[in-house]
Amino acid sequence: MQRVNDRAHPAIVLRVLLRQAYDAGSIGRVASHNDPVPNNILFDGERLWLIDWESAYCNDPLVDVAVMLDGMARSPELEDVLLNAWLGRAPDEPLRARLRIVRALTRLYYAGVFLSASAAASPARRDSDLSVPDLGDFEQAINEGRLKPGMPETKHILGKMFLASFLSGTTAPGFDAAV
């Protein structure tokens, strides 16, 4: 276990504490899709198909679960159903603790994905305002056509919403408006 002296920079302390919490109970790496968002899951009436494997590599098994929880399990009850189906039993507290960390990290990852996509489409745009709409207002803007799925502005707002979710621990916005 790595030790940190009392005068260490807060970012270093945070990194060490995060690493220790993440490593506790680590179960190794498995083949992972790494992007099991709703648009990458198809159902033909009989089977589920997971498509778009370009981001696949070995990873923590909780990464795919974290992304699926944020993308499809929009309530604590649905989260429990998904976790129980994945594990074949109810998760214990150490697994839930690691999952909270992995969910935060996947939210940070998707913040970067969406913000990078919006920056690539509009490179001159500068934005230091971290305020974001709440999920209801965002969905209303999509439904009313003020925001359009797949557009750089929508991806920019989604990126900021994922970043806000990472920073606050609140519910992620999901992926429905991404494409």
Side-chain angles (χ1 to χ4, degrees), residues 14 16 18 47 54 60 95 108 177:
L14 179 61
V16 170
L18 180 62
R47 293 179 58 186
E54 66 190 28
D60 185 311
L95 182 76
L108 181 60

Side-chain angles (χ1 to χ4, degrees), residues 125-146:
R125 179 183 188 142
R126 291 187 179 260
D127 183 3
S128 59
D129 178 12
L130 294 180
S131 63
V132 295
D134 68 29
L135 188 54
D137 291 341
F138 178 75
E139 289 173 345
Q140 185 175 359
I142 294 287
N143 292 337
E144 293 174 355
R146 289 181 282 124

Side-chain angles (χ1 to χ4, degrees), residues 22-43:
Y22 181 78
D23 286 344
S26 180
I27 46 184
R29 306 290 180 252
V30 298
S32 295
H33 185 277
N34 297 308
D35 194 26
V37 297
N39 286 345
N40 288 339
I41 302 171
L42 304 176
F43 180 62

Side-chain angles (χ1 to χ4, degrees), residues 142 147-151 154 176-179:
I142 294 287
L147 291 174
K148 301 207 181 324
M151 298 303 295
T154 305
D176 298 340
V179 289

Side-chain angles (χ1 to χ4, degrees), residues 19-89:
R19 185 64 178 187
Q20 288 171 350
Y22 181 78
D23 286 344
S26 180
I27 46 184
R29 306 290 180 252
V30 298
S32 295
H33 185 277
N34 297 308
D35 194 26
V37 297
N39 286 345
N40 288 339
I41 302 171
L42 304 176
F43 180 62
D44 67 6
E46 292 182 27
R47 293 179 58 186
L48 286 174
W49 296 88
L50 194 53
I51 62 169
D52 189 11
W53 286 84
E54 66 190 28
S55 298
Y57 55 87
C58 285
N59 206 345
D60 185 311
L62 293 177
V63 168
D64 281 351
V65 173
V67 173
M68 292 179 86
L69 286 171
D70 280 344
M72 293 179 275
R74 306 305 286 167
S75 72
E77 296 79 17
L78 289 175
E79 287 183 12
D80 287 341
V81 168
L82 194 146
L83 286 170
N84 288 339
W86 173 65
L87 281 172
R89 61 175 171 77

Side-chain angles (χ1 to χ4, degrees), residues 158-173:
L158 271 170
K160 287 172 50 170
M161 290 174 77
F162 271 95
L163 181 59
S165 177
F166 165 75
L167 293 170
S168 68
T170 58
T171 303

